[in-house]
Amino acid sequence: MEEEYIRLIFGLKLKQLRTEKSLSLFGLAKITGLSKSYLNEIEKGKKYPKRDKIVLLTEALDVTYDQLVSLKLDKNLAPIGEILQSRILKEIPLDIFGIKESDLIDIIAEAPLKVNAFINTLFEIAKHYNLSREKFFLASLRSYQEAHNNYFENIENDVERFAKAYSIDLSINLKVKDLEDILIEEYGYTINNEELTEHKELTNLRSVFVPKTKTLLISKEADISQRMFIYAKEIGYNFLNITDRLYTFSWIKFDSFDQVLNNFIASYFAGALLIPRKKLVSEMKLFFDSNTLNEELFLNLVARFTDSPETFYQRLTNILPKYFNIKNLFFLRFNYKPERGDFQLTKELHITNIQEPHANENNEHYCKRWVSIKILKEITTSDKNHLFESQISSYDHSQNEYLVLASATKDPFRDGYYRSIALGILISPHAQSKVSFLNDAKIKKRKVGVTCESCAISDCQERVAPPKKLERITRFAKTEDVVKSLMEKYS
């Protein structure tokens, strides 16, 4: 364990034992002959006493030496010990959130029982929602993105610096060979297009990078857009000198939060290289300036930049907050396999606030009125490779409305699966000033909920589960009314 954590655990135990004996710091100082200020620093984890001092403390508190120096905490403080010994504070670079680790330690030392109760609550929530270590890291990354409005000027500048160094014209679409040549000639890569197909266990992988020989194994199944993204991401790792990284795409297994963060940085670099900000901002201004929502224009816009709607939608989450000041937005990705019948929300991002459509971990049924789910069902029987639809979704319980743009395609990584991507913009006076077609009467409007279990729409034909949450609220309200009437009757 880190030395500072050992000091902190010792201090927590000392404070707990002193409190149990109803001793003040002054009282303990008087019994042991140690100064009050010195004992206070021990309890706050600032100092660790020498052996002779520990002996004095054990005698004053009537405990054994081993009990006091043991790193084992009793049940009241055990969760704090678990957090400290798990190294979670070391695994997450708190500085990216503007937090100093020493500040957290000070808070724990100042009010251990309150912090312990809070940590206990988090553990209970984590167990209830099956929150794994991986999910925790991904949630932390998402919080990091949201805190920065998902726009990172330094990476955008790195992309333009790279383009200048390699004489790349960002106003012209890149070609696969442009990126492949840089990987081979500049970074010494070997590209192997055969190996992955020899292993049936790797059918869902599009690439594996072997660092020792700088060999990039690419699946024959990878289409042009996937290959472009993989190459651009590898260039990002190299140009930014990132070594603590992931080696597979799209399935990932990470050992630390740094790898999760670095994977995001390289992916952001790739997106910014393939869809340059200046060009995208210019095109989106033209799209938003129209008084009607031109779906054909939007589809052509996507196709001009990439074959991957997901890459395009994700890039919009970088650009809209920065260059259009549209910050109340969400991004959702659903996966669907017809044989299974359930819709899995596999990726989400909310800028500024958690918007109305969001993930739930209670196995509740997502609202089938969401346009992203509607077209996800339609793509399974369509002869088109890409379905696009727009909708203004209105939420009864909040009165919020969102313009939602959604695309559905076959899942590029799994046979028999489909996926939909949705971008939602909260309709507000500011959004209306930036997006001229928000008042377009031709855009379909629908009342929607979040999940069937929490939805108040009584005449919904798409409902697949009763509104249990609302039924419970109604039942409790009736109970409260009867109790109130009884109180008045017998007062």
Side-chain angles (χ1 to χ4, degrees), residues 138-167:
L138 291 173
S140 299
L141 173 63
R142 193 162 60 243
S143 296
Y144 174 63
Q145 291 175 256
E146 292 164 359
H148 291 82
N149 292 325
N150 203 33
Y151 180 82
F152 296 85
E153 184 75 28
N154 58 323
I155 306 178
E156 301 280 352
N157 291 337
D158 285 333
V159 167
E160 292 172 1
R161 186 165 55 88
F162 166 79
K164 183 177 180 180
Y166 288 86
S167 300

Side-chain angles (χ1 to χ4, degrees), residues 245-260:
R245 53 160 293 180
L246 303 174
Y247 298 110
T248 58
F249 179 81
S250 62
W251 174 83
I252 58 173
K253 180 180 182 297
F254 45 79
D255 299 318
S256 67
F257 181 76
D258 279 343
Q259 289 183 351
V260 177

